[in-house]
Amino acid sequence: MSLYEEEVQARWGDTDAYRQSTSKTSKYSKEDFAAAKVDQEAATELFVYAFGNSLAIDSPKTQEAVIAHRAAITKWFYDCSVEMQKNLAVMYVEDPRFKEYYDGRVKGLAQYVHDAIWAQ
């Protein structure tokens, strides 16, 4: 088990989301994981577009990104409620690894994603 997997299990191992995600992903092929990444990247690119075009966080196009983000998580990992998505958004700005993922695309994107998710 990798250090990342150990951290995930320690933090969320007793949650329904973790159990559901583990159950789903245990059946995935390499191709399934690749398809999940495509869906996640597509949602991120919607955020990049909205941010790059200075769209308001509550604009229809930005909220489309929020919905795509939640849908990809639900499709591939676990039922992602709005509340769960908001918890993830906090992690995107507080955890340097997640912040780097978004800000590595465009500086300031992590905060924008956070704010857009919280605006729903």
Side-chain angles (χ1 to χ4, degrees):
M1 182 180 290
S2 73
L3 184 58
Y4 171 74
E5 290 167 330
E6 287 176 21
E7 178 186 352
V8 169
Q9 190 171 22
R11 288 179 79 174
W12 297 291
D14 63 344
T15 66
D16 289 337
Y18 177 83
R19 284 187 285 278
Q20 187 179 21
S21 180
T22 302
S23 175
K24 278 183 157 184
T25 60
S26 69
K27 301 173 185 88
Y28 287 176
S29 65
K30 228 168 52 170
E31 291 78 18
D32 292 326
F33 281 109
K37 184 174 173 77
V38 167
D39 283 353
Q40 292 172 304
E41 291 292 325
T44 299
E45 286 304 313
L46 291 173
F47 282 119
V48 169
Y49 173 87
F51 182 67
N53 286 282
S54 302
L55 300 181
I57 57 173
D58 60 351
S59 74
K61 198 73 173 165
T62 305
Q63 287 304 303
E64 182 183 318
V66 170
I67 292 166
H69 173 266
R70 191 171 58 250
I73 294 169
T74 296
K75 177 180 178 181
W76 293 103
F77 301 103
Y78 55 84
D79 296 332
C80 186
S81 65
V82 170
E83 180 184 348
M84 176 70 80
Q85 189 181 27
K86 287 180 176 183
N87 290 335
L88 291 171
V90 170
M91 207 168 52
Y92 296 165
V93 292
E94 290 183 354
D95 185 314
R97 295 166 294 185
F98 287 102
K99 188 169 174 47
E100 182 180 318
Y101 168 78
Y102 288 107
D103 286 352
R105 297 291 181 92
V106 184
K107 187 166 176 44
L109 185 62
Q111 188 65 55
Y112 182 82
V113 169
H114 168 276
D115 296 349
I117 289 171
W118 275 83
Q120 64 184 319

